[in-house]
Amino acid sequence: MKTVNLKNKHAEFEKTWHPHQIGIVDNMQVLLAKLQGEFVWHAHENEDELFQILKGTLYMQFRDRTEIVKEGEIIIVPKGVEHCPMTKNNEIVEVMLFEQLNTSHTGETKHELTQTNYPKI
């Protein structure tokens, strides 16, 4: 049991859209990621996903609307809901994610941004 400094952990990597695992809670993984630009439209059929914004502003696109998620806020994307995270004006947004260990990065959608391995930091 050790404390984790999120700011220091985020400083350990530069690559965007590539989550890094910082811990496991039961069958949930805690991930850090940097987001920039637009991601991939996708859904997770059997898993919810929680985004906590640590720095910047995230625009979570849904097919019928876009939710603006600011620093210090969270958004939970329910299982089966198609979504596409994005940032604006070339901003790099730092997030912490909570999701089940078996959650596929982009659900059933395969894309060049899809990651299959989350480095542990």
Side-chain angles (χ1 to χ4, degrees):
M1 293 180 287
K2 294 183 180 180
T3 62
V4 176
N5 184 298
L6 301 177
K7 187 174 183 178
N8 290 346
K9 289 293 185 184
H10 261 114
E12 290 186 27
F13 64 94
E14 294 297 322
K15 191 171 183 182
T16 59
W17 302 112
H18 193 201
H20 289 68
Q21 187 185 87
I22 60 167
I24 296 174
V25 179
D26 292 328
N27 71 336
M28 301 288 290
Q29 59 186 336
V30 182
L31 305 167
L32 294 181
K34 293 180 180 180
L35 315 180
Q36 184 178 32
E38 189 168 21
F39 194 47
V40 179
W41 280 99
H42 66 286
H44 306 281
E45 290 305 315
N46 299 304
E47 303 91 17
D48 299 329
E49 191 173 28
L50 183 147
F51 293 75
Q52 179 180 2
I53 310 309
L54 302 174
K55 181 179 177 186
T57 302
L58 179 69
Y59 297 82
M60 184 64 75
Q61 300 175 100
F62 299 103
R63 289 299 183 184
D64 63 342
R65 71 187 187 290
T66 298
E67 290 290 329
I68 300 171
V69 193
K70 298 177 184 174
E71 193 170 309
E73 296 180 336
I74 67 168
I75 188 166
I76 299 170
V77 180
K79 62 181 78 88
V81 175
E82 194 174 21
H83 60 287
C84 180
M86 70 174 281
T87 72
K88 292 186 177 180
N89 303 318
N90 214 29
E91 179 181 28
I92 295 175
V93 174
E94 295 181 357
V95 301
M96 185 163 49
L97 304 156
F98 295 88
E99 59 187 33
Q100 291 184 29
L101 285 167
N102 63 344
T103 301
S104 176
H105 191 218
T106 54
E108 296 297 316
T109 303
K110 301 301 177 211
H111 188 273
E112 64 185 31
L113 293 175
T114 301
Q115 302 298 317
T116 57
N117 178 40
Y118 299 152
K120 295 179 182 178
I121 58 172

